[in-house]
Amino acid sequence: MKTYGWGILGPGRIAHRFLNDLPRCEQAGLAAVASRDLERARSFAGQYGFRKAYGSYGELLQDPDVAIVYVATPHPQHAELVQQALEAKKAVLCEKPVAVNGRQARQMVASAAENRQFFMEAMWTRFFPVNRQVKALITSGALGAVTLIEVDFGFGNWPHGPVDHPESRIYAPQLAGGSLLDVGVYCVSYATWMKGERPTAIKALSTRVSTGVDGMTAALFQYRDGAMAVLRSSVIQATRLTATIYCEKATVEVPDFYHPEQAIVRSRSGDVEDQVIRALYSANGATGFDFDARELMRCLDEGLLESPLMTWQQSVVVMDLLDEIRQDIGLIFPMD
Amino acid sequence: MKTYGWGILGPGRIAHRFLNDLPRCEQAGLAAVASRDLERARSFAGQYGFRKAYGSYGELLQDPDVAIVYVATPHPQHAELVQQALEAKKAVLCEKPVAVNGRQARQMVASAAENRQFFMEAMWTRFFPVNRQVKALITSGALGAVTLIEVDFGFGNWPHGPVDHPESRIYAPQLAGGSLLDVGVYCVSYATWMKGERPTAIKALSTRVSTGVDGMTAALFQYRDGAMAVLRSSVIQATRLTATIYCEKATVEVPDFYHPEQAIVRSRSGDVEDQVIRALYSANGATGFDFDARELMRCLDEGLLESPLMTWQQSVVVMDLLDEIRQDIGLIFPMD
């Protein structure tokens, strides 16, 4: 079994969560960690057993032991770091949102194609067994056409939001903060995946926090066949965290859709069987970040440049849709 | 105890449901029924024990035994019939939607004021004990500010809708058909009641059926303080039929909000007690239409011209909001 050396760019909160799971993947080697702050890189490396720590991203990208680069920096840095990693001929797993806007996402994908390197958005939600089974069930046509999708992802405490001070990363315009890119990306990605196409009309409203980014956004999608989606994201109000996919013959409810343990299929027509789709996280104590890491290494084993579960084009479409929502609510970031 | 003679205009489906409950109200006398089809009026009168049946609405309005007129015709006829009833010095209970648009609603209210007669929209939802308790709890401030309201009312079978033929009343443009006026009115009225104010911004999308009216509409409301509402109505897709009112300290879920038996209050902050608010329908076999009939007669006993639970102005505001939604989705009725 081939193993792959992983290099981590940006040893922050999300990288810590990812590193709970990565060592449980048999094919994963822990090669190197890089931060602009060398001490931070060293501390992270020591905690998880990485062999090397670097005080700059460029050093890690030159390291021949690194086969796969995991980009876990704040999202405004994704585009540039991904491009550098691809040019250094590394496979890349990039945290969501893959970029700040559709333009950046297109550049990243073009670079992956040009450099003939594997590239994937770490939209971990898509790789959960429950979600893959729900997607397969819907794609099978057994439930009839998708007619209405509701997805909401909200946390925080009104009116103060996720934290009591506006200095939070999530509130910072220069870090492309706000609910839409932080958690709305899950809703848009999930709906787009389940419906399998992009909407033909979009309308949205948002509530701004003091820094000007969106604290709460509600978006409506309409599809070619008349189906609709209602999406909500919030960093100032905790919500149900549930995806509901209405189909002609049954309704599928997925609590905690972004990392689900079950989905409930309820028939409306009587000609579909009610069922509960269950799948625990990995049995070995992983929390679900192993699913995308495993998928990436499976793709490398097979010589693929993208995963069929999270294609380049799908990442671009989601960023385009986020752009359209932002256009409708008038939210512009400094780096747009 | 004073009794009041009731006269029914339009002995159709909704009047049949109303008449299951009206005789259970001690103050209600069954005076007369009128239909343009005299046989239909006679049949209805015989079934429920009304003393008189008329083949025209005008005859009923001249009947001195009729103190209260219940208008249960299709909604495009409401404005004219209500006005005639008020001019004949009758108290009026008018089925929802009270009118086709805000203009008509204003005329009706002006007529009620001019004729100094009681007038109320039969928005039965507001009079259910559970809903009154929920409203009181929210108004008390114990749960903090309302931050987000979700209400959905959908029935029907995609893509055929409530029936398999486009001749249905619900699909007819000349009867102001579509989901919005048929069931969306519940969502708009409920959200407006719970929030206690009108939104400052509205956006909506709709899916049209073959006749041109809306089969499904999703609307977003935004309020002055940043709170939002997400409302959905459908006559082509069955949905949860639930209202959820997110407040700063707790979330209130009201299944079957339009005629609820319970509401679940879940604390998020810990400083509110979780509770289930329960109240059965009337113990005497009524299905909930008795609540508004009783309220009306209570108001007459007290000499009121409108009920504080469903004021004239509130009916006008809801019709105005439905107009704004229709403007955003481009839905115009022949009688607008």
Side-chain angles (χ1 to χ4, degrees):
Chain A
M1 190 178 64
K2 192 170 173 185
T3 60
Y4 298 93
W6 284 71
I8 311 299
L9 300 187
R13 198 177 60 88
I14 184 70
H16 277 287
R17 294 179 60 195
F18 189 73
L19 260 298
N20 176 68
D21 295 353
L22 184 64
R24 301 171 206 268
C25 302
E26 301 75 14
Q27 291 184 277
L30 305 183
V33 182
S35 169
R36 285 174 183 162
D37 176 347
L38 179 58
E39 274 318 302
R40 201 170 175 209
R42 281 188 175 142
S43 163
F44 190 94
Q47 182 175 350
Y48 295 102
F50 283 84
R51 287 193 297 276
K52 286 169 275 189
Y54 296 111
S56 77
Y57 300 138
E59 286 174 275
L60 184 143
L61 295 181
Q62 300 310 315
D63 187 332
D65 290 344
V66 172
I68 302 167
V69 170
Y70 172 57
V71 179
T73 62
H75 33 279
Q77 300 169 27
H78 289 180
E80 195 185 331
L81 289 179
V82 165
Q83 200 147 337
Q84 288 174 12
L86 292 167
E87 285 167 3
K89 305 300 180 189
K90 309 294 188 190
V92 175
L93 178 66
C94 179
E95 261 308 323
K96 38 75 20 195
V98 78
V100 167
N101 53 37
R103 178 180 54 77
Q104 286 187 352
R106 278 169 219 286
Q107 286 169 355
M108 295 158 95
V109 162
S111 178
E114 194 182 316
N115 289 291
R116 299 201 57 74
Q117 291 301 316
F118 182 90
F119 170 58
M120 188 172 88
E121 180 179 357
M123 178 47 76
W124 68 320
T125 293
R126 292 203 184 191
F127 304 97
F128 276 77
V130 165
N131 282 331
R132 292 178 64 169
Q133 287 175 61
V134 168
K135 170 65 177 168
L137 182 63
I138 285 168
T139 305
S140 75
L143 309 187
V146 172
T147 60
L148 175 65
I149 300 173
E150 294 176 317
V151 196
D152 79 284
F153 196 141
F155 65 93
N157 300 302
W158 178 284
H160 299 294
V163 289
D164 286 322
H165 53 89
E167 298 79 22
S168 161
R169 169 189 74 79
I170 291 169
Y171 279 180
Q174 70 277 14
L175 294 178
S179 83
L180 203 50
L181 265 59
D182 204 67
V183 289
V185 62
Y186 284 104
C187 305
V188 172
S189 186
Y190 201 81
T192 305
W193 186 38
M194 289 298 167
K195 182 61 185 166
E197 64 186 287
R198 53 191 301 169
T200 52
I202 293 180
K203 287 186 182 174
L205 280 175
S206 78
T207 294
R208 303 303 178 85
V209 295
S210 59
T211 57
V213 302
D214 73 299
M216 177 159 66
T217 293
L220 307 177
F221 283 6
Q222 183 156 47
Y223 298 95
R224 206 181 39 220
D225 64 356
M228 300 183 80
V230 179
L231 311 176
R232 284 190 301 92
S233 61
S234 174
V235 292
I236 55 175
Q237 171 63 58
T239 57
R240 292 176 72 222
L241 298 174
T242 295
T244 307
I245 305 145
Y246 292 93
C247 303
E248 287 174 289
K249 299 177 184 173
T251 300
V252 185
E253 194 176 296
V254 191
D256 293 317
F257 74 96
Y258 65 103
H259 62 154
E261 288 193 357
Q262 64 172 1
I264 301 106
V265 181
R266 288 189 190 90
S267 176
R268 272 198 316 278
S269 64
D271 57 352
V272 172
E273 208 174 326
D274 283 4
Q275 57 175 301
V276 178
I277 296 169
R278 278 189 213 281
L280 294 179
Y281 295 1
S282 309
N284 59 3
T287 59
F289 291 93
D290 53 324
F291 294 127
D292 54 352
R294 284 178 204 279
E295 167 67 3
L296 188 158
M297 293 183 284
R298 184 194 72 81
C299 290
L300 293 187
D301 282 348
E302 298 189 11
L304 300 175
L305 296 187
E306 57 185 324
S307 163
L309 291 173
M310 183 74 247
T311 67
W312 297 350
Q313 183 56 23
Q314 285 163 0
S315 288
V316 169
V317 165
V318 168
M319 290 312 309
D320 280 348
L321 295 176
L322 290 167
D323 284 356
E324 287 189 53
I325 293 170
R326 286 205 287 128
Q327 190 165 7
D328 204 48
I329 63 177
L331 176 59
I332 297 167
F333 295 126
M335 68 293 288
D336 271 325
Chain B
M1 188 178 60
K2 191 170 174 187
T3 60
Y4 297 92
W6 283 71
I8 311 299
L9 299 188
R13 198 176 61 87
I14 184 69
H16 277 287
R17 294 179 61 194
F18 189 74
L19 260 298
N20 175 69
D21 295 354
L22 184 63
R24 300 172 205 268
C25 301
E26 301 74 16
Q27 290 184 276
L30 307 183
V33 182
S35 169
R36 284 173 183 164
D37 176 345
L38 179 57
E39 274 317 303
R40 202 170 175 210
R42 282 188 174 143
S43 163
F44 190 94
Q47 183 176 348
Y48 295 102
F50 283 85
R51 288 193 297 278
K52 284 169 276 188
Y54 296 110
S56 77
Y57 300 139
E59 287 175 276
L60 184 144
L61 296 181
Q62 300 311 316
D63 187 332
D65 290 344
V66 171
I68 303 167
V69 170
Y70 172 57
V71 179
T73 61
H75 33 281
Q77 300 168 26
H78 288 179
E80 195 185 330
L81 290 179
V82 165
Q83 199 147 340
Q84 288 173 10
L86 292 167
E87 285 166 2
K89 306 298 180 189
K90 311 294 188 188
V92 175
L93 178 65
C94 179
E95 262 308 322
K96 37 73 29 193
V98 79
V100 167
N101 52 39
R103 178 181 53 78
Q104 286 187 351
R106 277 169 220 285
Q107 286 169 355
M108 295 157 95
V109 161
S111 178
E114 193 183 318
N115 289 291
R116 299 203 54 73
Q117 292 300 316
F118 182 91
F119 170 57
M120 187 172 87
E121 181 179 358
M123 177 48 77
W124 69 319
T125 294
R126 292 203 183 191
F127 305 97
F128 276 78
V130 165
N131 281 330
R132 292 177 65 169
Q133 287 176 61
V134 168
K135 170 65 177 167
L137 182 63
I138 285 168
T139 304
S140 77
L143 309 187
V146 172
T147 60
L148 174 65
I149 300 174
E150 294 176 316
V151 195
D152 80 284
F153 196 141
F155 66 92
N157 300 302
W158 177 284
H160 298 294
V163 288
D164 287 322
H165 52 90
E167 298 77 23
S168 160
R169 169 189 75 79
I170 291 169
Y171 279 180
Q174 70 277 14
L175 295 177
S179 83
L180 203 50
L181 266 61
D182 205 67
V183 289
V185 62
Y186 284 103
C187 305
V188 172
S189 186
Y190 201 83
T192 305
W193 185 38
M194 289 299 166
K195 182 61 184 164
E197 64 185 287
R198 54 191 303 170
T200 52
I202 292 181
K203 286 187 182 174
L205 279 175
S206 78
T207 293
R208 303 302 176 86
V209 295
S210 58
T211 56
V213 301
D214 72 301
M216 177 158 68
T217 292
L220 308 177
F221 283 5
Q222 184 157 47
Y223 297 95
R224 206 180 41 221
D225 63 358
M228 299 183 80
V230 179
L231 311 176
R232 284 189 303 91
S233 60
S234 174
V235 293
I236 55 175
Q237 172 64 59
T239 57
R240 292 176 73 222
L241 299 174
T242 296
T244 308
I245 305 144
Y246 292 93
C247 303
E248 288 174 289
K249 298 178 185 174
T251 300
V252 185
E253 193 176 295
V254 192
D256 294 317
F257 74 96
Y258 63 103
H259 62 154
E261 288 194 355
Q262 64 172 0
I264 302 107
V265 181
R266 289 190 190 88
S267 176
R268 272 198 316 279
S269 62
D271 57 352
V272 172
E273 207 174 326
D274 284 3
Q275 57 175 302
V276 178
I277 296 170
R278 279 188 212 280
L280 293 179
Y281 294 0
S282 308
N284 59 4
T287 59
F289 290 94
D290 52 324
F291 294 127
D292 52 353
R294 284 179 204 278
E295 167 66 4
L296 189 158
M297 292 183 284
R298 184 193 72 82
C299 290
L300 293 188
D301 282 349
E302 297 190 11
L304 301 175
L305 296 187
E306 56 185 324
S307 164
L309 290 173
M310 182 74 248
T311 68
W312 297 351
Q313 183 58 22
Q314 285 163 1
S315 288
V316 168
V317 165
V318 168
M319 289 313 307
D320 279 349
L321 295 175
L322 290 167
D323 283 357
E324 287 189 52
I325 293 171
R326 287 204 289 128
Q327 189 164 9
D328 204 47
I329 63 177
L331 177 58
I332 297 168
F333 295 126
M335 68 292 288
D336 269 326

